[in-house]
Amino acid sequence: MPSIHKKFPLHRLSATALLLIAAGAMAQPIYRNVDKNGKVTFSDRAPTAATEPAKGPQAASAEPSNAGLPYELRQVAQRYPVTLYSGEECAPCGTARSLLITRGIPFEERTVKSDQDVEALQRLTGRASLPLLTIGSQQLKGFSDAEWSQYLDAAGYPKSNSLPAGYRNPPARPLVAQQAVPAAPEPAAPAPVPQQAAPAPSGPSPSNPAGIKF
């Protein structure tokens, strides 16, 4: 029968092994994974390409103006992008633009000037009135400080300016992209004028003594 002295070291060895295993499990790193929709999960597995946000050139070109925004604001701007449609000599358009800039809303601006712009705006909204604000798929026709602020709040935009210093919205662009007018072709060189034969003499000549005319 084995003695107690022989069992005790084996018992201590087993306990020590369990402590080492437990310590190894506690030391295992926990990874923070963020999927392409911004959802955060925690796991003991390292993030993969499927869970990391897209960083390829296509994703970079999709929202270039939002690259320098704070994380929460960037998520809102990607989910509910804001676009202002404005025109020349439109006082409400200027007031609307000032509201967006003062509140720190990242937005794009489309100008309506040409006949093609007006036709495109009518197809988009059913009428040609300005200003127009779109927040995601929501259209707000005509400027109203209270209404626009209400919809911006509902979309999740901050009520105070949180844009980083030096941030600039992209420059305004026409609603319909202007196509380059091809240069007029150079005029062709004039064709040489054929020389006409000298008219035959009308009077008598050595070859036509009678002066006959046909």
Side-chain angles (χ1 to χ4, degrees):
M1 179 176 180
S3 64
I4 296 177
H5 297 286
K6 293 183 179 180
K7 285 186 175 181
F8 182 70
L10 185 61
H11 176 71
R12 291 184 59 187
L13 179 62
S14 300
T16 304
L18 291 174
L19 289 174
L20 290 175
I21 295 174
M26 294 177 63
Q28 187 173 7
I30 300 298
Y31 297 95
R32 179 176 180 269
N33 300 327
V34 183
D35 62 14
K36 62 181 180 180
N37 296 320
K39 182 179 179 180
V40 179
T41 57
F42 294 90
S43 173
D44 57 353
R45 296 182 179 181
T48 62
T51 58
E52 293 180 346
K55 297 181 181 179
Q58 184 176 5
S61 61
E63 297 290 344
S65 60
N66 295 336
L69 298 178
Y71 177 78
E72 294 183 358
L73 180 57
R74 183 169 70 249
Q75 295 298 311
V76 177
Q78 291 177 350
R79 192 175 297 114
Y80 303 109
V82 174
T83 303
L84 172 66
Y85 298 83
S86 63
E88 295 179 334
E89 300 180 0
C90 172
C93 298
T95 306
R97 187 184 303 107
S98 298
L99 169 66
L100 298 176
I101 295 175
T102 302
R103 180 161 170 171
I105 304 297
F107 69 96
E108 293 188 354
E109 185 172 356
R110 296 288 185 270
T111 57
V112 179
K113 299 179 181 180
S114 66
D115 294 340
Q116 292 82 0
D117 294 335
V118 175
E119 294 174 0
L121 182 65
Q122 290 177 333
R123 290 193 298 268
L124 179 66
T125 67
R127 59 182 185 178
S129 60
L130 293 170
L132 168 72
L133 187 74
T134 59
I135 307 174
S137 59
Q138 179 67 45
Q139 295 183 0
L140 302 179
K141 302 174 183 178
F143 175 69
S144 171
D145 191 330
E147 183 183 19
W148 284 28
S149 298
Q150 181 182 5
Y151 276 92
L152 291 170
D153 293 343
Y157 282 98
K159 295 184 179 182
S160 59
N161 193 332
S162 63
L163 293 175
Y167 178 86
R168 294 291 182 270
N169 288 304
R173 295 184 296 168
L175 181 54
V176 178
Q178 300 295 326
Q179 297 181 353
V181 179
E186 296 183 359
V193 179
Q195 295 182 356
Q196 297 181 353
S202 58
S205 63
S207 60
N208 185 14
I212 299 174
K213 297 181 180 179
F214 295 95

